[in-house]
């Protein structure tokens, strides 16, 4: 568990450019186009950066864009004094130290919706591939073998799909599976409204024991770490198939390999792994390689042109809304504020330590400088307070400077 590390107060960030954005891991050009159109100098790299490299490259950078392979620990944020926000151009944000980003006044935005369809389509395709053993037959023909057999090859119609995690992807997958004539049931730790004829199952054990296909759609959290191990695999129906396109840490790969080798499971499809290569040029080894009726893919669930373009636009939009107006709606580690800009005013955005008396001190500054506040919104969490304040343009600079001088200040800037 990460602990909060508050930075020392720094000088206020002005709205005077040039502003820089660093996009890593071959983020779709749609993001670069949107940021460049707003005047950002955009540097776009095809690979991830190691934490020590990232810490050096973040100096003078205002917006950072990453995908799943870039780790952003607390050490990378120490000297990133100009960094305003981080965009995770993917669903997961576990690669970012969210607590320390929060205490450095840096909201983190992600894309929880844009690749939903792409992942659901891939999982549904894998259901069909596994039940027809298509990869084995294809590999045999490529090798010059002709094995026209029906043994073990079945239709998906009438089979039961068990979905673990009935969120955006799981629920859409269920609707698509029903269209193929499958029976759909799901298990989730939260109460979810079923779509179509999907049925909620009260326990994970019941779902495992009554499904022909199990597919996982859960985040990486302490409660989901290795949630599918030897005991859970043993509870699955003999001949059933497991699909994991969520996070590599939720399935015990060794236990899955043993369940496949013993023929207890009829197949598996895995798109995510506990440890993944940092680049496409690195090699990869897993215990699942070479096993029959096992589909292995390199973390491509959301890797379609449509999904990547949509993710680029979705996250870039969130970053720009925060940059231009201080909107934090959708940030995964920050108080949620979104207020319309008021014409003829300047907006001060202030992140401060959440301790008693901060708002009193800020309002005293405003009063002493005879500033007229047009609107003021404060939202807090356990560590920080986030203040959005619109006031007259002629006093915005001295007010901003004075607020930034408070010992409780973390990050202050003006939007005009």
């Amino acid at each position: 568990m990460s602990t909060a590390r508050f930075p020392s107060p720094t000088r206020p960030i002005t709205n005077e450019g040039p502003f820089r954005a660093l996009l890593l891991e071959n983020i779709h050009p749609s993001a670069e186009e949107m940021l460049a159109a707003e005047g950002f100098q955009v540097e776009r790299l095809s690979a991830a950066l190691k934490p020590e490299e990232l810490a050096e490259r973040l100096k003078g950078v205002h917006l950072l864009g990453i995908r799943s392979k870039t780790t952003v620990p607390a050490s990378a944020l120490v000297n990133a004094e100009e960094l305003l926000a981080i965009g995770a151009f993917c669903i997961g944000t576990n690669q970012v130290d969210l607590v320390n980003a929060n205490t450095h006044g840096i909201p983190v935005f992600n894309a929880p919706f844009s690749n939903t369809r792409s992942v659901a389509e891939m999982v549904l395709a894998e259901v069909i591939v596994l039940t027809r053993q298509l990869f084995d037959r294809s590999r045999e023909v490529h090798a010059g073998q002709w094995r026209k057999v029906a043994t073990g090859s079945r239709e998906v119609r009438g089979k039961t799909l068990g979905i673990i995690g009935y969120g955006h992807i799981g629920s859409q997958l269920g609707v698509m599976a029903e269209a193929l004539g499958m029976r759909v049931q799901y298990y989730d730790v939260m109460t979810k409204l079923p779509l179509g004829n999907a049925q909620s199952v009260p326990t994970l054990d019941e779902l495992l024991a009554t499904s022909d296909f199990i597919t996982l759609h859960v985040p990486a959290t302490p409660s989901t770490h290795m949630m599918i191990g030897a005991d859970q695999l043993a509870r699955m129906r003999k001949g059933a198939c497991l699909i994991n396109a969520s996070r590599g840490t939720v399935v015990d790969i060794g236990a899955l390999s043993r369940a496949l080798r013993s023929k207890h499971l009829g197949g598996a499809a895995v798109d995510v792994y506990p440890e993944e290569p940092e680049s496409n040029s690195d090699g990869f080894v897993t215990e699942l390689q070479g096993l029959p009726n096992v589909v292995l893919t390199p973390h491509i669930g959301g890797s379609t042109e449509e999904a990547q373009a949509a993710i680029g636009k979705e996250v870039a939009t969130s970053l720009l809304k925060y940059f231009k107006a201080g909107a934090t709606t959708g940030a995964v580690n920050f108080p949620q504020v979104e207020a319309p800009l008021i014409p003829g005013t300047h907006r001060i955005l202030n992140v401060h330590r959440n301790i008693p008396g901060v708002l009193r001190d800020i309002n005293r500054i405003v009063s002493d400088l005879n500033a007229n506040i047009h609107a003021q919104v404060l939202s807090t969490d356990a560590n920080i307070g986030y203040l959005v304040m619109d006031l007259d343009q002629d006093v915005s600079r001295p007010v901003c400077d004075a607020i930034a001088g408070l010992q409780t200040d973390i990050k202050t800037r003006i939007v005009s």
Side-chain angles (χ1 to χ4, degrees):
M1 177 68 73
S2 177
T3 56
R5 305 176 191 176
F6 290 100
S8 301
T10 59
R11 60 182 175 82
I13 299 174
T14 70
N15 63 337
E16 300 171 358
F19 289 100
R20 295 176 55 206
L22 176 62
L23 304 181
L24 306 179
E25 302 183 67
N26 208 26
I27 288 170
H28 195 274
S30 60
E32 179 181 4
E33 292 167 4
M34 290 182 64
L35 294 172
E38 295 294 335
F40 276 84
Q41 297 177 357
V42 182
E43 182 180 9
R44 185 166 165 261
L45 304 181
S46 60
L49 294 177
K50 295 185 182 299
E52 56 273 17
E53 296 176 294
L54 181 62
E56 185 63 29
R57 295 293 286 270
L58 281 179
K59 294 176 181 178
V61 168
H62 298 87
L63 298 179
L64 171 65
I66 63 170
R67 293 176 69 186
S68 58
K69 288 184 172 55
T70 298
T71 300
V72 187
S75 59
L77 302 177
V78 172
N79 296 316
E81 296 180 356
E82 305 293 324
L83 188 62
L84 298 177
I86 297 173
F89 287 74
C90 50
I91 293 179
T93 55
N94 54 293
Q95 68 275 39
V96 182
D97 187 328
L98 297 176
V99 173
N100 276 287
N102 167 282
T103 55
H104 279 75
I106 302 170
V108 178
F109 300 91
N110 66 337
F113 309 113
S114 293
N115 69 355
T116 299
R117 178 73 181 195
S118 295
V119 177
E121 283 187 3
M122 187 187 76
V123 171
L124 190 60
E126 289 173 337
V127 168
I128 297 173
V129 164
L130 291 172
T131 198
R132 296 296 301 273
Q133 302 176 4
L134 293 181
F135 270 35
D136 287 357
R137 301 293 83 81
S138 175
R139 183 175 61 251
E140 291 160 359
V141 173
H142 274 288
Q145 301 174 5
W146 187 267
R147 294 189 65 243
K148 184 179 179 180
V149 295
T151 304
S153 181
R154 296 181 173 84
E155 295 180 354
V156 298
R157 179 176 52 180
K159 304 301 186 296
T160 299
L161 176 66
I163 301 171
I164 302 175
Y166 197 66
H168 302 297
I169 296 172
S171 57
Q172 186 166 161
L173 172 62
V175 172
M176 296 166 65
E178 280 193 5
L180 292 179
M182 300 189 76
R183 175 176 176 265
V184 177
Q185 57 185 14
Y186 65 90
Y187 170 76
D188 201 296
V189 295
M190 299 178 65
T191 301
K192 298 291 183 68
L193 179 69
L195 300 181
N197 296 312
Q199 298 290 318
S200 174
V201 175
T203 67
L204 176 60
D205 285 350
E206 182 176 338
L207 185 85
L208 295 172
T210 57
S211 299
D212 299 297
F213 298 89
I214 298 290
T215 178
L216 290 134
H217 302 284
V218 297
T221 66
S223 63
T224 64
H225 185 77
M226 297 298 173
M227 68 180 296
I228 302 297
D231 291 343
Q232 290 71 34
L233 294 169
R235 294 187 180 99
M236 291 177 61
R237 285 179 173 176
K238 183 174 177 57
C241 296
L242 180 74
I243 300 171
N244 183 21
S246 59
R247 290 291 176 265
T249 56
V250 304
V251 174
D252 184 332
I253 294 294
L256 176 58
S257 174
R258 293 189 292 273
L260 290 163
R261 293 176 189 275
S262 70
K263 307 298 184 183
H264 176 66
L265 294 188
V270 178
D271 187 52
V272 290
Y273 309 86
E275 295 182 3
E276 299 180 358
E278 293 184 359
S279 71
N280 288 344
S281 61
D282 295 337
F284 179 65
V285 176
T286 174
E287 295 178 57
L288 302 175
Q289 287 165 335
L291 296 180
N293 206 30
V294 173
V295 180
L296 302 178
T297 49
H299 204 149
I300 57 170
S303 296
T304 62
E305 288 289 343
E306 294 90 345
Q308 292 306 304
I311 289 171
K313 293 176 182 177
E314 180 181 349
V315 179
T317 296
S318 296
L319 292 173
L320 287 172
K321 286 177 67 177
Y322 178 68
F323 175 73
K324 296 165 66 175
T328 55
T329 302
V332 298
N333 68 329
F334 227 70
Q336 304 287 293
V337 174
E338 184 162 356
L341 290 170
I342 298 176
T345 68
H346 282 175
R347 172 165 289 183
I348 293 179
L349 306 174
N350 167 254
V351 186
H352 55 263
R353 301 188 190 190
N354 185 15
I355 60 177
V358 177
L359 190 59
R360 174 203 61 209
D361 294 340
I362 291 175
N363 285 332
R364 179 178 297 132
I365 289 170
V366 172
S367 176
D368 290 346
L369 291 172
N370 295 316
N372 180 38
I373 297 176
H374 293 257
Q376 188 180 66
V377 181
L378 172 67
S379 185
T380 64
D381 61 23
N383 296 316
I384 66 170
Y386 179 48
L387 177 68
V388 177
M389 183 167 58
D390 297 316
L391 68 167
D392 291 339
Q393 297 179 2
D394 59 343
V395 291
S396 61
R397 171 51 55 193
V399 169
C400 181
D401 290 343
I403 292 175
L406 295 173
Q407 287 301 306
T408 52
D409 177 74
I410 296 173
K411 188 161 289 185
T412 301
R413 66 185 176 102
I414 289 180
V415 174
S416 59

